[in-house]
Amino acid sequence: MSITIDGHQIDVLYSEDVIRGRISALAHEIATLKPQNLLVVPVLKGSFIFAADLIRAMHQAGLSPEVDFMMLSSYRKGTTSSGQVDVLRDIEASVKDRDVLLIDDILESGRTLAYAKDLIAARGARSVRSCVLLDKPGKLAANIKSDFAGFSCPDKFVVGYGMDMAHQFRELPFVGFVVPKS
Ligand code: IMP
Ligand code: MG
């Protein structure tokens, strides 16, 4: 399936149904760890829809996490990583001796998640794991891999389900890719 918005053709990569099924499985995988005093930290902005669905699936899987948000910026504008990570908003919760689960939309170079993981580990968390909706293999520049991943994603620029291209397309209920204009 494909839709056109503002002259951009967007092809569906993962449909709403496919995402829903995968998230339920992820929540059950996370629950098997039996996390203690779990703090879930969605890394904004791109993860907000994924996180909203994942934490509700975690409830269905028997978990009752606390949720706090971190906003990091690594991309700015355009489609390439700048390499620099800025903390735009930090969590308020204490992480000392807690199991922490970072939630992000995509692991690409890994710089964003590696930064967040180091920051939280340095504050004395018992464990810091990560769950990403999409893994983009082959692009890692930082020493990190996700503990849980929804899908292994082709090397295309994806949008929707919270993810944007220059602030557009976050509202799409599916994950799609922008077909380059020929
Ligand atoms: P990393 O630090 O290179 O791993 O950057 C990951 C971040 O870049 C993600 O959290 C997204 O915000 C953004 N990103 C990477 N690839 C894409 C994409 O294909 N579409 C939208 N955002 C992306
Ligand atoms: Mg992001």
Side-chain angles (χ1 to χ4, degrees):
M1 203 200 91
S2 154
I3 61 166
T4 301
I5 302 177
D6 285 347
H8 295 281
Q9 184 188 330
I10 300 169
D11 287 3
V12 176
L13 199 54
Y14 306 111
S15 70
E16 284 185 80
D17 279 357
V18 166
I19 294 171
R20 192 178 310 114
R22 186 65 191 115
I23 286 180
S24 172
L26 277 177
H28 283 91
E29 269 183 60
I30 294 165
T32 60
L33 289 178
K34 303 203 182 309
Q36 288 175 27
N37 200 2
L38 176 61
L39 175 68
V40 168
V41 180
V43 179
L44 300 174
K45 301 173 189 169
S47 70
F48 76 112
I49 294 181
F50 174 47
D53 285 345
L54 182 64
I55 62 180
R56 283 178 288 183
M58 287 168 81
H59 164 71
Q60 298 295 344
L63 296 173
S64 28
E66 184 182 341
V67 184
D68 197 354
F69 301 93
M70 180 173 269
M71 191 184 296
L72 299 178
S73 173
S74 59
Y75 248 62
R76 303 301 186 189
K77 262 191 152 180
T79 61
T80 45
S81 173
S82 64
Q84 195 204 326
V85 180
D86 295 323
V87 180
L88 304 182
R89 192 227 183 243
D90 203 346
I91 55 170
E92 288 157 352
S94 164
V95 300
K96 187 109 186 67
D97 301 327
R98 303 180 74 170
D99 286 328
V100 177
L101 181 70
L102 296 166
I103 301 183
D104 208 350
D105 51 358
I106 307 187
L107 184 68
E108 192 176 62
S109 78
R111 289 191 191 98
T112 314
L113 262 193
Y115 184 91
K117 196 170 181 173
D118 290 350
L119 193 70
I120 287 176
R123 293 176 184 165
R126 180 170 174 265
S127 70
V128 191
R129 292 190 173 87
S130 62
C131 179
V132 297
L133 179 66
L134 305 175
D135 241 336
K136 267 196 191 174
K139 297 219 142 179
L140 276 184
N143 181 22
I144 187 167
K145 73 188 235 331
S146 58
D147 298 284
F148 305 95
F151 305 95
S152 181
C153 162
D155 185 14
K156 295 177 187 283
F157 197 79
V158 297
V159 295
Y161 200 67
M163 295 173 284
D164 73 308
M165 183 178 78
H167 309 295
Q168 260 192 305
F169 309 126
R170 291 193 200 273
E171 72 283 8
L172 301 177
F174 55 84
V175 175
F177 64 91
V178 185
V179 178
K181 290 181 179 163
S182 49

